[in-house]
Amino acid sequence: MFEILDRRTSLSGNQIKILAAAIIGDALEFFDYFLIGFVLAFLIGPWKLTFGQSATVLMSSGIGAIMGAYAWGWLADRIGRRKVFIGTVLNFSIATGLLYFTPDNGWIYLSVMRFFVGLGVGGLYCVDLPLVQEFMPSSKRGWVGGLVTCVIPLGTGLGAVLGASIGSGDWRLLFAIGVLPALLVLLVRLWVPESPRWLCRQGRYDEARQSLAWALQMEPSALPLPTAADAGPIVKSNWLDLFKYPRSLIVSWLGNAGAQTGVYGITLWVPSLFVLLLKVTPQEAAKMMILLTIFGFIGRLSFAFFSELMGRRNAGGLLGFGAGVLTIVAGYNYDSMIMGVSAFWLILAVTYFFADGGFAIVGPYAAEIWPSHLRTTGMGSAYGFGGIGKIIGPVGLAMIVGSGNYLKPDVPLPQIPLAFVYLGCWFLMAGAVYYFLGIETRGKSIEQIDRELAFTADLPAATASMRQA
């Protein structure tokens, strides 16, 4: 049955609806997630926050994202993609809305509620990509997966625009706006059915045929009734089975850890660093972030194309090596000017082409290199493990610069170059892992990837799937 899907050379209207729901979801979830970077720029002065307190606020969502990625990812393999998609959107939207009630000097309340925001964001990212991929033909899976992530910088850009337009005392309004993603639940309920591949692996063959027929806009009777040979036998996923795929585990875990540490360390601190280093207002810092998000958006479009042009391994290597070198260069030019314009700002903008743009590879690839019965569990584990970057990225910069310092414009930061070397090396590690250890998935069907992975796994069910195919 899925061979008919893989022979398609264009997307149907219903496949585009599925893609649109995932795109909107990713944009809004990261709008909610990165709001804190802009809010913090308003609070560091009035609240007299130290680097350590600021880092606690920033890393709390990272801790939540780690737990959310593991829990929601595992749950999506157990109860289905669609239910988890809806649950995660409600999770982070409601938590963001509750941040509106943050009391003055309430950085502890801010940290606690940001934990729950991260819980939902970590979960959605790990289910929407596999959901979309399982509806797409092999020839378009890499491009479509990258496209889903392309709008994430636009979510960050929306936060930058709003941050630049509000008054210093109105920062709570940003959190109130963060409730809006809950409306996405209506779109998902109307547009998105359950994944046909997940239904097939549960033995729900008639429902799987109806789901795929809806996506392809065909009559169900025009598709053959699937069997175990279409998506493998019914397998009850076990989290420990992840360790039977060591190469998938190493590449997806370390690749995520390197990319997330670098990009979250930069993104969560940069608005505040602009205020500190460049002597600008929080509103001006938010405007400066718009340029970075534009480069990130262009980068994601480019890397979505690169994934099919040069393959996942080469594109992953390009992301890591490009972002790593430029991050280090930016750190050493934090106080330099180019024709009266901050070199730090301009170099970081180009860095975002690779650092943020490369996530068009990181997320989709982390789902592709796991077998079908472990896809969201594996991606969730990779994103969750990589989530340590949401902690050690911002906290690492704070520790290097000096976690006890108050973030004031008159505080010198001689350790900035070393802090950016630290972040750059994480990108370089990710590039090396992708390029030298990566599993190439370009042009391969999900079933072909499953069969190839079965050769390296000590999993009887996977072997059985290979034989039946």
Side-chain angles (χ1 to χ4, degrees):
M1 181 179 77
F2 293 113
E3 293 177 355
I4 296 174
L5 170 64
D6 283 329
R7 286 199 295 267
R8 289 293 186 105
T9 57
S10 61
L11 301 183
S12 70
N14 285 343
Q15 285 174 309
I16 292 174
K17 285 183 178 180
I18 296 169
L19 177 59
I23 286 174
I24 295 170
D26 263 7
L28 294 181
E29 71 165 324
F30 281 91
F31 164 68
D32 275 10
Y33 188 87
F34 285 115
L35 272 181
I36 192 62
F38 303 105
V39 170
L40 195 62
F42 286 100
L43 302 181
I44 52 177
W47 287 13
K48 305 297 183 183
L49 296 177
T50 66
F51 269 103
Q53 291 168 336
S54 300
T56 300
V57 173
L58 296 178
M59 78 175 182
S60 60
S61 53
I63 295 173
I66 293 173
M67 298 177 65
Y70 281 107
W72 287 112
W74 174 81
L75 201 59
D77 274 332
R78 303 282 290 188
I79 68 172
R81 286 37 168 148
R82 184 172 179 268
K83 291 179 181 177
V84 169
F85 194 117
I86 292 171
T88 56
V89 172
L90 292 175
N91 178 169
F92 70 76
S93 299
I94 293 172
T96 300
L98 290 174
L99 282 165
Y100 178 82
F101 302 101
T102 302
D104 289 336
N105 298 309
W107 68 272
I108 295 178
Y109 177 89
L110 202 60
S111 300
V112 172
M113 295 312 303
R114 284 290 301 175
F115 167 84
F116 289 103
V117 173
L119 201 68
V121 169
L124 179 58
Y125 189 70
C126 296
V127 69
D128 63 348
L129 280 169
L131 176 61
V132 171
Q133 289 176 336
E134 291 173 353
F135 276 104
M136 299 298 160
S138 301
S139 61
K140 296 188 179 299
R141 195 177 61 245
W143 176 79
V144 166
L147 187 61
V148 170
T149 75
C150 284
V151 296
I152 290 175
L154 298 186
T156 309
L158 177 60
V161 170
L162 293 174
S165 61
I166 67 169
S168 297
D170 298 326
W171 53 268
R172 288 182 178 85
L173 292 178
L174 293 175
F175 291 136
I177 296 170
V179 179
L180 294 179
L183 298 176
L184 178 65
V185 169
L186 298 177
L187 289 182
V188 175
R189 291 183 66 86
L190 289 173
W191 285 356
V192 183
E194 185 53 80
S195 161
R197 284 187 161 100
W198 183 84
L199 290 168
C200 195
R201 290 193 301 278
Q202 306 307 306
R204 296 158 61 177
Y205 299 126
D206 186 59
E207 292 176 69
R209 178 168 64 174
Q210 291 182 37
S211 175
L212 185 59
W214 176 88
L216 298 179
Q217 295 183 272
M218 301 171 58
E219 288 296 325
S221 58
L223 292 173
L225 188 68
T227 65
D230 284 293
I234 300 172
V235 178
K236 186 175 182 180
S237 60
N238 186 328
W239 196 86
L240 293 177
D241 283 342
L242 295 176
F243 296 94
K244 296 178 180 179
Y245 300 89
R247 192 171 174 189
S248 299
L249 187 142
I250 290 171
V251 172
S252 64
W253 284 28
L254 294 184
N256 263 272
Q260 289 192 53
T261 301
V263 83
Y264 283 95
I266 295 172
T267 303
L268 290 174
W269 271 117
V270 157
S272 296
L273 289 177
F274 285 160
V275 171
L276 173 64
L277 298 174
L278 307 182
K279 310 296 189 296
V280 298
T281 66
Q283 290 88 348
E284 290 170 330
K287 290 179 182 178
M288 295 175 71
M289 281 296 296
I290 295 173
L291 180 64
L292 274 65
T293 60
I294 291 173
F295 270 83
F297 176 69
I298 295 172
R300 292 198 185 223
L301 287 175
S302 301
F303 274 91
F305 175 71
F306 293 161
S307 71
E308 298 295 353
L309 178 67
M310 64 178 67
R312 316 307 196 242
R313 290 175 59 250
N314 290 334
L318 180 62
L319 116 78
F321 297 135
V325 170
L326 286 169
T327 297
I328 294 170
V329 172
Y332 276 96
N333 288 274
Y334 75 93
D335 57 352
S336 300
M337 304 294 286
I338 299 176
M339 299 179 65
V341 179
S342 167
F344 183 60
W345 175 45
L346 296 179
I347 297 171
L348 279 178
V350 180
T351 302
Y352 256 58
F353 176 87
F354 298 93
D356 192 74
F359 272 79
I361 301 293
V362 175
Y365 186 53
E368 282 187 320
I369 59 176
W370 290 100
S372 295
H373 69 285
L374 290 171
R375 179 155 297 117
T376 58
T377 303
M379 184 181 179
S381 73
Y383 190 67
F385 181 83
I388 64 173
K390 296 184 179 71
I391 302 171
I392 63 177
V395 172
L397 184 146
M399 292 181 66
I400 292 171
V401 173
S403 61
N405 288 340
Y406 285 96
L407 199 56
K408 296 179 181 177
D410 58 349
V411 176
L413 296 175
Q415 299 302 319
I416 282 293
L418 180 59
F420 276 75
V421 168
Y422 165 76
L423 296 176
C425 285
W426 281 100
F427 281 125
L428 294 174
M429 184 270 286
V433 167
Y434 285 134
Y435 185 76
F436 294 107
L437 299 176
I439 303 168
E440 188 54 68
T441 58
R442 177 179 56 169
K444 296 177 182 178
S445 69
I446 287 176
E447 290 70 35
Q448 182 181 353
I449 295 170
D450 283 350
R451 290 194 295 269
E452 292 179 359
L453 289 172
F455 279 111
T456 63
D458 181 21
L459 189 63
T463 305
S465 175
M466 177 187 66
R467 290 171 178 164
Q468 289 179 26

